[in-house]
Amino acid sequence: MRESLESQIPDTAAYTEWLAIVCSIVVAALFCAVLFSNGALT
């Protein structure tokens, strides 16, 4: 039963890696936006 379920699950390694990269960029952008809005870098 487990083997038949595993064969139907697509390989999502590339997708999760891309998603992690995009999320890290978004988090960095938000962090910079918060710093600029608070005037911490001026």
Side-chain angles (χ1 to χ4, degrees), residues 2-28:
R2 175 176 283 179
E3 293 176 359
S4 64
L5 288 176
E6 288 179 353
S7 65
Q8 294 176 356
I9 299 175
D11 183 19
T12 58
Y15 173 75
T16 53
E17 184 177 354
W18 177 84
L19 189 63
I21 292 171
V22 171
C23 286
S24 64
I25 292 172
V26 170
V27 167

